[in-house]
């Protein structure tokens, strides 16, 4: 298998980047995610893949609710905050505006395009990311939005490398 060709093909898809947040009722966490997609129409469901090495992983697998925040082009600083720092070392929620959703789930004030999800399943196939499948329970959107896409952040150094 030509891994470079595969990587190039996926890069051309130029995914819109999100910030995933989680709360298990005790601890908050969040990271930038490129692996995410709608995965069912009826019922509406969404899948997010979380790296096992991330601080967010430990919290997300214990969380009943998750939030997906769609990043806009002007949110590069937020992308660096959530994708370049790790909750192992810093409290990512100390210096940004957020308000609590279900179970204390952090909802980012800067990101009005977001969906709050209720977790329905997790799938670990032995890879370096675990799939979390969830159903939307609350959605907010704005009319104007140019998403921050993968090509804008692909050179960013992640706070945690996957194993
Ligand atoms: C371009 C890019 C895409 C990323 N995609 C994912 C992803 O799909 N899933 C994931 O769990 N982490 C992804 N990350 C990595 C995390 O955002 C990053 O390691 C973060 O610092 C982890 O923070 P945490 O340790 O507080 O959870 C990505 C990082 C970058 C720069």
């Amino acid at each position: 298998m030509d891994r470079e060709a595969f990587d190039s093909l996926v890069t051309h898809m130029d995914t819109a980047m999100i910030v995933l947040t989680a709360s298990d009722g005790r601890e908050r966490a969040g990271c930038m995610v490129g692996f995410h997609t709608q995965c069912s129409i009826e019922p509406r469901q969404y899948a997010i893949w979380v790296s096992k090495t991330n601080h967010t992983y430990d919290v997300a697998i214990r969380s009943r609710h998750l939030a997906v925040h769609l990043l806009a082009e002007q949110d590069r600083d937020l992308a660096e905050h959530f994708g370049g720092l790790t909750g192992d070392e810093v409290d990512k929620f100390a210096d940004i505006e957020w308000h609590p959703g279900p179970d204390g789930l952090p909802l980012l004030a800067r990101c009005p395009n977001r969906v709050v999800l209720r977790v329905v399943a997790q799938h670990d196939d032995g890879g370096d990311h675990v799939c979390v499948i969830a159903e939307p329970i609350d959605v907010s959107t704005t009319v104007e939005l140019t998403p921050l896409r993968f090509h804008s952040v692909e050179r960013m150094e992640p706070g945690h490398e996957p194993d």
Side-chain angles (χ1 to χ4, degrees):
M1 204 283 285
D2 184 339
R3 292 161 64 111
E4 279 184 20
F6 175 81
D7 293 349
S8 166
L9 187 143
V10 172
T11 297
H12 276 89
M13 294 177 186
D14 208 14
T15 316
M17 303 305 294
I18 62 156
V19 170
L20 174 73
T21 59
S23 169
D24 61 6
R26 277 188 321 116
E27 198 180 347
R28 294 181 288 274
C31 67
M32 182 167 71
V33 164
F35 296 163
H36 62 98
T37 185
Q38 181 175 352
C39 60
S40 169
I41 298 170
E42 198 54 60
R44 299 284 194 276
Q45 286 183 338
Y46 209 82
I48 307 115
W49 283 262
V50 187
S51 170
K52 291 174 181 174
T53 62
N54 285 357
H55 180 82
T56 302
Y57 170 80
D58 293 327
V59 179
I61 55 163
R62 295 194 301 261
S63 297
R64 291 185 301 178
H65 297 93
L66 300 171
V68 163
H69 305 79
L70 184 54
L71 291 173
E73 242 176 16
Q74 63 270 23
D75 292 332
R76 214 196 132 79
D77 57 328
L78 268 186
E80 280 171 5
H81 186 82
F82 280 97
L85 302 175
T86 172
D88 289 345
E89 295 166 359
V90 297
D91 178 359
K92 294 185 188 178
F93 301 95
D95 52 358
I96 59 164
E97 197 182 338
W98 61 275
H99 60 272
D103 301 326
L105 182 68
L107 304 176
L108 307 182
R110 280 266 304 275
C111 302
N113 293 285
R114 70 165 167 256
V115 52
V116 176
L117 302 157
R118 189 181 66 80
V119 175
V120 294
Q122 297 172 354
H123 177 67
D124 182 353
D125 61 7
D128 54 16
H129 286 62
V130 165
C131 178
V132 182
I133 299 166
E135 63 178 13
I137 57 169
D138 188 47
V139 184
S140 68
T141 58
T142 52
V143 182
E144 298 285 332
L145 172 76
T146 306
L148 180 75
R149 294 200 171 273
F150 178 75
H151 76 265
S152 301
V153 292
E154 64 178 318
R155 288 195 178 76
M156 201 176 282
E157 193 76 34
H160 265 295
E161 290 288 353
D163 278 339

